[in-house]
C-alpha cells in the first residue's frame, strides 16, 4: 500500500524537523490532524526533537542499537539465511505517543475483547450453545483445524482459559480503532515491548519522565501473581514453556522468564506422572504447578494432539483434564483467532456478554452461504479475499489475503469454483488502509503505516490492559508489511497519564524482609546438559584455535626445506588425522610449496561450511550458549558474542589470520575468566566447568599422543609446538630452560597437578566438582562417576614420566600410549556416567563412548 502522499509545509523547528513531512489525505496520521496541525500530545516530543541535531540523534540511535546488540535482543527470521537466529531486533527509537483519553477507549475495548474470547472458548469446549442457538455456524468450529476435540469438557482452574490476550489494532481513516487480529492461545511480543521500553526510556530519559508515561511493571506483576494464585499450593513452582532456541522469539521467552522469576523449560524438561507435571532436575522429578505456555496448543502434547510434535509434553492434556496443572493460557485458544470469527463477533458479544463491541473488527463477510458468496463476488474489486482459518496476520507476506482487484479472470473462476465447493473456508474483508505514525528514516521524518499490539491479563477482579504495547511499522523500503517476520521495525508505545506516575517495580520493597538464599531451586537437567556442552564446545574451539595459530605462525616463517618439513610434520600430526587438512597439502608443504596448505588453512579458519572447521565449532558455542541464554550473565553473553563473531573474510592473508587467531585466544581467555571469576559456584558454573575440564583433559591426552607418541629427529620442534598449544611454554622454560626432552614434557602435560593445563589437574578438579552433586536417585547413588575418577587418578599417580618417555626399538612410546588410552576411555565413561545420573531420567542404550557430540 502506498504511504507517501503530496508533501506539505515544513514542520516548525530546526535541526531534525526542518524537512518535508508528507500529509496523507487517505490515512489517519498520528502526528497531525487533517488541518495539518500537530496534535497536542505530540508537541512536547517535537519540541524535544527540534533541539536535537542530526549528529546527536545519530549518537542516540547508535547507543540504542548498541544496547540492543549487547543485550542480544534478537528475533529469528526462519527464511533469513544471512543472519538466522542472530538477526537483531529492529527498533525505531521514536515512540508511538497516545494520550490518556485515547487510551481509555483502547483499554476498555481490549479488556472487553479478552472477556469475550474467554467466554467463547468456554462455550466452544463446553455446551456449545452458540452453535445450537444459531449464533455461530458449526463449520467455524468443527471445521477449524485449530479446534482440538480432546479438550472437550475440560474445565481449567477457576474456569479461566485466557490468562493473557492480545489484539492487533489498526487506525481506520476516520480515526477509530479496529481489531485486525487477535491472539488467545500463546500471544507473543510482550517481552519485546518491555525491552523496547527500557531502551527508549534511556534514549529520551528527561522527556520520558516529564511526559508522565505510564509504567509497565504493574501489568506484569498482576499477570504473574494472578496466574500463580490459581495453583492449589501456597508457594507454587512455575515454569515458562518455550519451543526452544530455534523459535523466532526465544530471546523474549528467556527475557520474560528472568523478569517474572520463572524457570525457562522446553518440552523435554517436563514429564507427566499420574496426571501431574514434573520438572526433570538434577535431584530427580519435582512437581510443577503452573506452566506459562509459549508453545502453540496443537504442539503441546504428542499423545493426544499433534503426534509428531517434538516440542510438547506427552500427557499434558491428561494433566489438564485431571486439574494437575495450571496452564496459562489453557489449551485450544487458537480456534477463535481466525478471520472467520470476525464476521460474528458483534452477535457473539451480545449473546455472551450482553454488550455491544467497544472496538469493531475489520468488516468481514463469511462465505459459507450462497447469499454471502454472491455479495462477496459483487464487491470483490473493493475487498480482500482470504482463508477463514488463516492463522497469519492480515498485514503479512504469509497471509492468504489477496486483493480482489488483482485477481485475473482465471483466478476469479478458480475462486468461484472453490467457494462453491467449500465456501465456509473463505471470507472477504474490507481493505484497511493503515494509519501512519512518525518515523525518522533515510528520507527524513516520514509517516509509516503501523499496527499496535495491546495485551490484556486476567486477574480475579477482571482483565487489566498493559498501558503500552508493541507497535510495528513497515520498513521504509521493500514490502509494506508490518510483521517482524517481514522485516518490520518495532516501536515503544508511550501512554500518557493525566496524573503523576508511580514507580512500581517487580523487585520486592526495600523494607520487606527477604529470606537469605544461597542456592536457587534445582535447575532443569537439560539446562545443565547444555551448560556442560557449552563448556566443552568453548574449550574445543579454543584448542583448535591454538593448534591453528601454532601452524600459521610457522607457515612462511621458516628457512629451507628443514623448516618446511617441520610445518608439514605438524600438519600431518595435528590436522590430517581429523581430516582438517589433506595429506597432499602436508606433502606439498614438506617440499617447500605451502600454497595448498595455506588454502586449506584458510578454509579451516574462515569457511562456515567446513565440516571440521573453526567456524563450525564457534557456531556450536553460539548455539549452545543461546540455548542457555537465561542462565548466562550479560557480560558472559557478550563474551560469547565476541568469541563467536567477526570471522575473517577475503583472500588468504597470513598476517590477518595470525591477528584473528591471537584475538580469538584472548576472547576465549576472557570467556573462561568470566566463568571462573564472576559465576557463583552453583550448578550453572559447576556443569559448565566440568564440560571444560573433560574437554581439556581429552585434548591434552590427544596432543600428548600426537606430539610425544614416538621418537624421531623432528620431535624437538613438536615439543615446542605442544608447549605453545598447551600454554605451558613459560613454565617449561622456567623449570628446564631450553632443554627439550620427552620426560619433563610428559610430566608437565600429563602428571603435574600444579599445571592448570595438565591432565592430572583436570581430573583432580573433576573429582572435587562431583562432591557437591546430589546423590538422590538410584543412578546417582551408584556414584559411578566417582569410581571412574578414583581409578584413573590412582593409576595416573603411580606413573613415572621417565618410564613413560622410554621408546621401544621402533621409537614408539608404548607405555605412554597405554596410559593415554586408559585416560581417554575413563573420560568417555565419566561423561556417560554424568549424563546417566543427571541428564537422563530413563535408562538408555549406550552406543559409544560419549566423548564426541555431533558437530553438525
Amino acid at each position: 500500500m502506498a504511504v507517501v502522499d503530496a508533501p506539505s509545509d515544513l514542520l516548525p523547528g530546526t535541526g531534525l524537523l526542518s524537512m518535508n513531512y508528507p500529509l496523507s489525505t487517505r490515512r489517519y496520521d498520528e502526528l497531525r490532524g487533517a488541518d495539518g496541525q500537530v496534535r497536542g500530545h505530540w508537541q512536547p516530543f517535537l519540541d524535544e526533537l527540534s533541539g536535537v541535531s542530526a549528529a546527536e540523534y545519530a549518537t542516540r540511535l547508535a547507543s540504542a542499537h548498541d544496547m540492543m546488540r549487547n543485550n542480544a535482543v534478537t528475533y529469528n527470521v526462519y527464511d533469513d539465511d544471512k543472519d538466522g537466529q542472530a538477526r537483531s531486533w529492529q527498533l525505531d527509537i521514536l515512540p508511538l505517543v497516545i494520550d490518556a483519553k485515547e487510551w481509555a477507549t483502547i483499554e476498555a475495548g481490549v479488556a472487553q475483547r479478552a472477556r469475550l474470547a474467554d467466554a467463547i472458548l468456554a462455550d466452544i469446549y463446553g455446551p456449545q450453545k452458540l452453535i445450537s442457538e444459531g449464533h455461530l455456524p458449526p463449520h467455524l468450529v468443527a471445521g477449524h483445524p485449530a479446534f482440538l476435540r480432546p479438550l472437550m469438557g475440560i474445565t481449567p482452574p477457576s474456569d479461566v482459559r485466557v490468562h493473557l490476550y492480545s489484539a492487533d489494532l489498526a487506525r481506520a481513516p476516520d480515526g477509530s480503532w479496529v481489531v485486525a487480529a487477535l491472539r488467545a492461545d500463546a500471544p507473543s511480543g510482550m517481552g519485546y515491548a518491555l525491552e523496547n521500553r527500557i531502551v527508549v526510556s534511556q534514549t529520551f530519559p528527561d522527556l520520558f519522565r516529564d511526559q508522565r508515561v505510564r509504567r509497565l511493571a504493574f501489568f506484569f506483576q498482576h499477570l504473574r501473581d494472578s496466574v500463580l494464585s490459581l495453583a492449589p499450593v501456597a508457594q507454587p513452582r512455575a515454569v515458562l514453556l518455550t519451543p526452544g532456541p530455534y523459535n523466532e522469539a526465544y530471546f523474549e521467552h528467556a527475557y520474560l522468564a528472568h523478569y517474572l522469576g520463572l524457570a525457562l523449560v522446553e518440552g523435554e524438561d517436563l514429564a507427566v506422572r499420574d496426571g501431574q507435571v514434573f520438572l526433570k532436575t538434577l535431584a530427580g522429578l519435582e512437581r510443577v504447578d503452573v506452566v506459562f505456555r509459549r508453545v502453540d496448543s496443537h504442539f503441546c502434547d504428542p499423545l493426544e494432539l499433534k503426534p509428531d510434535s517434538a516440542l510438547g509434553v506427552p500427557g499434558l492434556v491428561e494433566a489438564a483434564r485431571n486439574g494437575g496443572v495450571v496452564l496459562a493460557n489453557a489449551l485450544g485458544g487458537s480456534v477463535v483467532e481466525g478471520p472467520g470469527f470476525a464476521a460474528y463477533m458483534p452477535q457473539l458479544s451480545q449473546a455472551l456478554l450482553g454488550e455491544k463491541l467497544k472496538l469493531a473488527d475489520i468488516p468481514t463477510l463469511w462465505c459459507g452461504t450462497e447469499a454471502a458468496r454472491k455479495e462477496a463476488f459483487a464487491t470483490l474489486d473493493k475487498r480482500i479475499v482470504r482463508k477463514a482459518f488463516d492463522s497469519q496476520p492480515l498485514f503479512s507476506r504469509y497471509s492468504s489475503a489477496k486483493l480482489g482487484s488483482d485477481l485475473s479472470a482465471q483466478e476469479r473462476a478458480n475462486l468461484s469454483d472453490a467457494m462453491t465447493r467449500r465456501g465456509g473456508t473463505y471470507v472477504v474483508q474490507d481493505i484497511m488502509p493503515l494509519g501512519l505514525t512518525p518515523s525518522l528514516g533515510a528520507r527524513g521524518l516520514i509517516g509509516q503505516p503501523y499496527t499496535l499490539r495491546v495485551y490484556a491479563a486476567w486477574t480475579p477482579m477482571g482483565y487489566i490492559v498493559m498501558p503500552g504495547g508493541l507497535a510495528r511499522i513497515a520498513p521504509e523500503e521493500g514490502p509494506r508489511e508490518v510483521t517482524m517476520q517481514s522485516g518490520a521495525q518495532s516501536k515503544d508505545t508511550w501512554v500518557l497519564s493525566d496524573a503523576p506516575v508511580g514507580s512500581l517495580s517487580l523487585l520486592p520493597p526495600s523494607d520487606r524482609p527477604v529470606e537469605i538464599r544461597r542456592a536457587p531451586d534445582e535447575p532443569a537437567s537439560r539446562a545443565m546438559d547444555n551448560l556442560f556442552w557449552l563448556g566443552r564446545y568453548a574449550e574445543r574451539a579454543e584448542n583448535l584455535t591454538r593448534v591453528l595459530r601454532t601452524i600459521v605462525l610457522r607457515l612462511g616463517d621458516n628457512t629451507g626445506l628443514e623448516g618446511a618439513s617441520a610445518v608439514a610434520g605438524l600438519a600431518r600430526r595435528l590436522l590430517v588425522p581429523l581430516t582438517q587438512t589433506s595429506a597432499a597439502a602436508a606433502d606439498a608443504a614438506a617440499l617447500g610449496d605451502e600454497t595448498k596448505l595455506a588454502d586449506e588453512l584458510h578454509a579451516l579458519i574462515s569457511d562456515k561450511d567446513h565440516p571440521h572447521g573453526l567456524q563450525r565449532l564457534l557456531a556450536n558455542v553460539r548455539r549452545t550458549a543461546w540455548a542457555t541464554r537465561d542462565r548466562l550473565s550479560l557480560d558472559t553473553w557478550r563474551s560469547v558474542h565476541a568469541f563467536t563473531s567477526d570471522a575473517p573474510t577475503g583472500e588468504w592473508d597470513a598476517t590477518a589470520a595470525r591477528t584473528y587467531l591471537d584475538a580469538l585466544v584472548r576472547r576465549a581467555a576472557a570467556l573462561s575468566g568470566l566463568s571462573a571469576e564472576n559465576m557463583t559456584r552453583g550448578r550453572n558454573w559447576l556443569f559448565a566447568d566440568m564440560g571444560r575440564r573433560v574437554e581439556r583433559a581429552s585434548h591434552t591426552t590427544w596432543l600428548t599422543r600426537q606430539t610425544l607418541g614416538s621418537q624421531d629427529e623432528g620431535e624437538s620442534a613438536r615439543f615446542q609446538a605442544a608447549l605453545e598449544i598447551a600454554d605451558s611454554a613459560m613454565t617449561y622454560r622456567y623449570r628446564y630452560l631450553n632443554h627439550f626432552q620427552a620426560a619433563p614434557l610428559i610430566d608437565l602435560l600429563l602428571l603435574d597437578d600444579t599445571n592448570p593445563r595438565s591432565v592430572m589437574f583436570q581430573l583432580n578438579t573433576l573429582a572435587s566438582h562431583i562432591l557437591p552433586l546430589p546423590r538422590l536417585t538410584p543412578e546417582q547413588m551408584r556414584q559411578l562417576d566417582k569410581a571412574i575418577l578414583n581409578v584413573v587418578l590412582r593409576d595416573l599417580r603411580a606413573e613415572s614420566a621417565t618410564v613413560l618417555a622410554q621408546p621401544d626399538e621402533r621409537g614408539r612410546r608404548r607405555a605412554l600410549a597405554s596410559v593415554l588410552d586408559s585416560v581417554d576411555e575413563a573420560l568417555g565413561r565419566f561423561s556417560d556416567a554424568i549424563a546417566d545420573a543427571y541428564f537422563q531420567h530413563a535408562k538408555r542404550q549406550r552406543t559409544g563412548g560419549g566423548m564426541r557430540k555431533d558437530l553438525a
Side-chain angles (χ1 to χ4, degrees):
M1 300 177 183
V3 175
V4 180
D5 297 279
S8 68
D9 296 334
L10 301 183
L11 285 177
T14 59
L16 288 173
L17 301 187
S18 295
M19 55 188 71
N20 289 337
Y21 181 88
L23 178 63
S24 174
T25 58
R26 298 180 292 106
R27 303 170 185 264
Y28 186 90
D29 192 320
E30 293 293 334
L31 181 64
R32 295 192 295 176
D35 58 0
Q37 297 300 309
V38 174
R39 302 184 192 276
H41 60 282
W42 273 98
Q43 193 61 56
F45 204 97
L46 292 184
D47 291 342
E48 167 86 2
L49 285 181
S50 66
V52 176
S53 67
E56 181 182 348
Y57 182 86
T59 299
R60 294 192 189 189
L61 181 62
S63 176
H65 288 173
D66 285 344
M67 217 181 309
M68 304 290 278
R69 183 173 57 254
N70 291 335
N71 291 349
V73 187
T74 57
Y75 185 87
N76 185 32
V77 178
Y78 291 128
D79 60 355
D80 190 340
D81 294 331
K82 179 180 179 181
D83 295 319
Q85 95 180 19
R87 180 180 183 270
S88 297
W89 179 250
Q90 304 299 302
L91 173 65
D92 178 354
I93 62 174
L94 292 186
L96 169 65
V97 183
I98 301 177
D99 66 16
K101 182 179 179 181
E102 194 79 49
W103 184 254
T105 300
I106 294 175
E107 192 170 32
V110 172
Q112 182 197 48
R113 285 294 187 130
R115 288 190 292 122
L116 179 58
D118 189 75
I120 292 173
L121 290 172
D123 179 79
I124 286 175
Y125 290 107
Q128 295 194 339
K129 290 183 179 180
L130 292 174
I131 294 175
S132 62
E133 295 176 0
H135 300 295
L136 191 64
H139 182 76
L140 284 181
V141 176
H144 202 305
F147 175 59
L148 305 178
R149 288 170 176 78
L151 304 179
M152 287 295 296
I154 296 179
T155 301
S158 295
D159 204 19
V160 181
R161 289 163 176 80
V162 179
H163 306 87
L164 178 65
Y165 172 91
S166 73
D168 288 353
L169 305 182
R171 281 278 203 182
D174 64 359
S176 62
W177 292 97
V178 176
V179 177
L182 63 92
R183 290 288 181 265
D185 189 50
S188 63
M190 190 170 59
Y192 289 112
L194 180 61
E195 177 68 14
N196 286 353
R197 170 58 54 86
I198 292 172
V199 173
V200 175
S201 64
Q202 293 181 34
T203 304
F204 301 103
D206 296 337
L207 189 61
F208 180 79
R209 181 190 63 248
D210 297 341
Q211 282 281 82
R212 292 180 173 178
V213 180
R214 291 178 60 179
R215 308 301 173 93
L216 305 181
F218 178 87
F219 173 83
F220 286 95
Q221 180 189 50
H222 278 275
L223 170 64
R224 181 192 63 189
D225 293 349
S226 297
V227 175
L228 294 182
S229 71
L230 298 175
V233 296
Q235 293 184 324
R237 177 151 194 175
V239 299
L240 191 150
L241 178 62
T242 172
Y246 294 107
N247 182 263
E248 72 270 21
Y250 181 73
F251 164 82
E252 179 190 27
H253 305 166
Y255 186 71
L256 281 178
H258 178 76
Y259 188 71
L260 297 175
L262 309 173
L264 184 68
V265 302
E266 297 178 32
E268 63 183 276
D269 295 326
L270 302 178
V272 175
R273 302 286 188 273
D274 300 323
Q276 296 181 335
V277 179
F278 293 87
L279 176 64
K280 302 172 186 176
T281 74
L282 298 180
L285 299 178
E286 293 192 2
R287 173 76 185 275
V288 172
D289 305 289
V290 178
V291 176
F292 287 81
R293 183 172 59 82
R294 297 307 303 271
V295 176
D296 292 341
S297 286
H298 56 290
F299 287 101
C300 279
D301 187 346
L303 289 183
E304 298 198 49
L305 301 177
K306 186 175 174 58
D308 60 346
S309 171
L311 305 178
V313 185
L316 190 61
V317 171
E318 175 197 355
R321 188 179 292 119
N322 294 338
V325 67
V326 177
L327 297 178
N329 290 347
L331 298 172
S334 295
V335 70
V336 301
E337 296 177 355
F341 269 80
Y344 292 90
M345 281 298 184
Q347 61 198 75
L348 296 182
S349 181
Q350 286 286 359
L352 294 173
L353 306 181
E355 301 172 2
K356 291 184 178 181
L357 286 178
K358 301 178 186 296
L359 296 177
D361 293 273
I362 295 177
T364 302
L365 181 66
W366 180 61
C367 299
T369 66
E370 185 176 355
R373 289 192 289 274
K374 287 182 179 180
E375 181 181 347
F377 266 90
T379 59
L380 195 57
D381 285 342
K382 299 179 180 179
R383 287 185 166 181
I384 291 170
V385 61
R386 62 189 301 209
K387 296 294 183 66
F389 306 132
D390 192 350
S391 62
Q392 296 296 328
L394 174 60
F395 308 102
S396 162
R397 73 175 67 174
Y398 304 105
S399 173
S400 63
K402 295 181 179 179
L403 286 170
S405 58
D406 289 347
L407 299 179
S408 67
Q410 184 60 52
E411 288 173 328
R412 284 174 177 259
N414 293 342
L415 178 62
S416 177
D417 178 64
M419 281 192 177
T420 300
R421 289 183 288 108
R422 50 182 187 277
T425 63
Y426 288 92
V427 297
V428 293
Q429 294 182 304
D430 285 3
I431 296 173
M432 180 73 213
L434 295 178
L436 304 178
T437 188
S439 174
L440 195 60
R443 305 198 307 270
L445 193 65
I446 59 174
Q448 290 287 79
Y450 80 98
T451 62
L452 172 62
R453 179 166 293 183
V454 183
Y455 301 87
W458 174 85
T459 75
M461 304 302 294
Y463 283 93
I464 62 170
V465 176
M466 187 172 84
L470 182 66
R472 292 169 293 178
I473 62 172
E476 188 175 356
E477 303 295 339
R480 315 305 281 161
E481 298 164 0
V482 287
T483 63
M484 304 314 294
Q485 283 285 345
S486 302
Q489 284 190 300
S490 65
K491 279 179 172 285
D492 187 18
T493 303
W494 286 12
V495 175
L496 308 183
S497 174
D498 293 332
V501 177
S503 57
L504 176 70
S505 170
L506 286 185
L507 297 175
S510 57
D511 57 350
R512 179 190 299 175
V514 177
E515 179 184 359
I516 302 298
R517 300 180 65 191
R518 291 187 178 175
D521 294 333
E522 283 291 352
S525 301
R526 176 196 51 81
M528 298 303 100
D529 191 3
N530 282 330
L531 284 168
F532 181 78
W533 276 98
L534 174 60
R536 293 197 66 169
Y537 282 140
E539 184 69 20
R540 194 175 292 179
E542 180 183 349
N543 292 337
L544 179 55
T545 301
R546 290 180 176 276
V547 169
L548 290 170
R549 184 177 65 168
T550 295
I551 295 176
V552 171
L553 282 172
R554 288 160 172 76
L555 192 67
D557 188 24
N558 53 74
T559 55
L561 291 180
E562 182 179 348
S565 178
V567 174
L570 286 177
R572 282 196 191 96
R573 289 179 176 267
L574 302 180
L575 298 178
V576 173
L578 299 179
T579 66
Q580 290 168 323
T581 62
S582 66
D587 291 342
L591 298 175
D593 182 5
E594 298 175 341
T595 303
K596 185 173 179 57
L597 180 58
D599 289 342
E600 294 193 7
L601 286 172
H602 183 47
L604 193 58
I605 294 170
S606 306
D607 187 354
K608 294 182 179 180
D609 297 321
H610 194 300
H612 307 291
L614 180 59
Q615 297 307 317
R616 180 67 64 91
L617 273 180
L618 293 174
N620 282 331
V621 174
R622 184 166 55 250
R623 173 177 55 81
T624 314
W626 185 250
T628 58
R629 177 69 179 85
D630 61 313
R631 294 187 170 274
L632 301 179
S633 71
L634 182 57
D635 284 338
T636 301
W637 174 255
R638 288 171 177 169
S639 291
V640 169
H641 180 72
F643 183 42
T644 59
S645 60
D646 300 329
T649 58
E651 299 296 325
W652 167 256
D653 183 306
T655 301
R658 289 194 295 268
T659 301
Y660 170 68
L661 294 171
D662 279 340
L664 215 55
V665 169
R666 291 193 298 271
R667 293 167 186 171
L671 178 58
S672 178
L674 276 172
S675 300
E677 297 298 327
N678 289 14
M679 290 182 74
T680 56
R681 292 323 193 236
R683 302 284 196 245
N684 293 346
W685 171 81
L686 191 66
F687 280 95
D689 199 61
M690 277 203 298
R692 184 180 288 276
R693 300 299 173 183
V694 167
E695 191 65 34
R696 184 173 292 180
S698 176
H699 173 75
T700 306
T701 59
W702 172 83
L703 179 65
T704 304
R705 186 192 312 276
Q706 298 304 108
T707 55
L708 289 98
S710 61
Q711 184 184 57
D712 55 45
E713 67 277 2
E715 68 175 359
S716 178
R718 295 199 305 273
F719 289 175
Q720 296 179 59
L723 289 170
E724 286 180 27
I725 294 168
D727 198 22
S728 300
M730 183 186 71
T731 302
Y732 188 92
R733 289 190 175 93
Y734 178 78
R735 293 178 181 177
Y736 308 110
L737 299 179
N738 285 325
H739 302 296
F740 296 108
Q741 297 181 8
L745 187 54
I746 291 171
D747 181 72
L748 185 61
L749 296 184
L750 191 63
L751 306 177
D752 186 352
D753 60 6
T754 67
N755 178 15
R757 291 276 170 175
S758 75
V759 172
M760 183 70 79
F761 189 94
Q762 314 315 315
L763 295 175
N764 282 333
T765 304
L766 288 170
S768 66
H769 280 357
I770 64 175
L771 294 178
L773 293 179
R775 302 288 178 181
L776 301 175
T777 68
E779 190 67 28
Q780 292 169 0
M781 287 187 288
R782 288 182 62 197
Q783 300 194 66
L784 182 58
D785 51 342
K786 183 176 181 181
I788 292 170
L789 288 179
N790 286 343
V791 171
V792 71
L793 279 168
R794 181 200 64 198
D795 293 346
L796 204 56
R797 287 166 183 155
E799 296 293 344
S800 163
T802 302
V803 173
L804 296 178
Q806 294 301 315
D808 63 12
E809 65 280 1
R810 300 179 63 183
R812 296 176 180 174
R813 296 186 172 99
R814 294 187 179 275
L816 176 62
S818 177
V819 170
L820 295 176
D821 286 344
S822 297
V823 172
D824 270 339
E825 190 268 344
L827 288 170
R829 291 196 300 120
F830 174 80
S831 183
D832 276 353
I834 289 295
D836 286 344
Y838 298 101
F839 307 151
Q840 308 288 336
H841 290 267
K843 283 290 184 182
R844 65 184 174 95
Q845 191 71 28
R846 203 176 257 105
T847 58
M851 285 301 295
R852 290 286 170 179
K853 199 169 185 177
D854 182 19
L855 300 182

